[in-house]
Amino acid sequence: MSFTGKYELQSHENFEPFMKALGLPDEQIQKGKDIKSISEIVQDGKKFKITVTTGSKVLQNEFTIGEECEMEMLTGEKVKAVVQMEGNNKLISNFKGLKSVTELNGDILTSTMTMGDLTYKRVSKRI
């Protein structure tokens, strides 16, 4: 299954507490909570390029499955991570105490980020 496509955020849970825990300033959290971000994924075999546009903020990460890469977090901080693929529709990575799982089912892309006992879930639909 190919992840390639554009996805628009449909809903998200625990946005504010999770972003606070990440260390984002309140002003940025308030601006970002109601914006329908667009995620664009380009998959070429094991290589991925993911661009998330939220209002005027653009976050771009590129990685190859199973290889260490540098990822930019929402805070702008760069961290080392390795992204693994489970089955043919699930991307999993762990970095800086955070576990990220992105799963594609049909046209629905579900991203779940867990830090300690706090979970942030976002559901996007292919457009």
Side-chain angles (χ1 to χ4, degrees), residues 94-106:
N94 289 286
F95 49 89
K96 218 178 166 235
L98 187 73
K99 180 178 183 179
S100 172
V101 178
T102 300
E103 190 171 357
L104 181 63
N105 287 306

Side-chain angles (χ1 to χ4, degrees), residues 86-98:
E86 197 176 280
N88 65 353
N89 71 330
K90 198 181 276 193
L91 301 172
I92 300 171
S93 60
N94 289 286
F95 49 89
K96 218 178 166 235
L98 187 73

Side-chain angles (χ1 to χ4, degrees), residues 15-16 29 35 38 44-45 52 59 66 68 76-77 79 84 87 91 94 96 100 110 122:
F15 178 78
E16 290 184 62
I29 293 170
I35 297 175
I38 302 285
D44 180 12
V52 180
L59 191 65
E68 187 178 73
E77 183 182 354
V79 295
Q84 300 293 351
L91 301 172
N94 289 286
K96 218 178 166 235
S100 172
T110 305
R122 36 185 296 138

Side-chain angles (χ1 to χ4, degrees), residues 19-113:
M19 296 305 148
K20 254 189 218 306
L22 274 183
L24 282 183
D26 285 344
E27 180 187 313
Q28 207 172 329
I29 293 170
Q30 291 308 314
K31 273 187 193 167
K33 73 176 183 176
D34 297 320
I35 297 175
K36 295 281 187 208
S37 65
I38 302 285
S39 301
E40 184 171 5
I41 302 175
V42 177
Q43 179 184 357
D44 180 12
K46 290 185 168 193
K47 289 187 180 188
F48 283 78
K49 180 176 171 181
I50 300 180
T51 307
V52 180
T53 306
T54 308
S56 61
K57 184 163 174 49
V58 178
L59 191 65
Q60 191 168 41
N61 285 306
E62 294 185 44
F63 58 88
T64 301
I65 298 297
E67 294 180 16
E68 187 178 73
C69 65
E70 191 175 74
M71 302 278 255
E72 185 179 345
M73 294 180 62
L74 294 166
T75 55
E77 183 182 354
K78 297 198 185 296
V79 295
K80 297 267 184 231
V82 176
V83 181
Q84 300 293 351
M85 187 173 254
E86 197 176 280
N88 65 353
N89 71 330
K90 198 181 276 193
L91 301 172
I92 300 171
S93 60
N94 289 286
F95 49 89
K96 218 178 166 235
L98 187 73
K99 180 178 183 179
S100 172
V101 178
T102 300
E103 190 171 357
L104 181 63
N105 287 306
D107 286 340
I108 304 296
L109 188 71
T110 305
S111 299
T112 308
M113 287 186 262

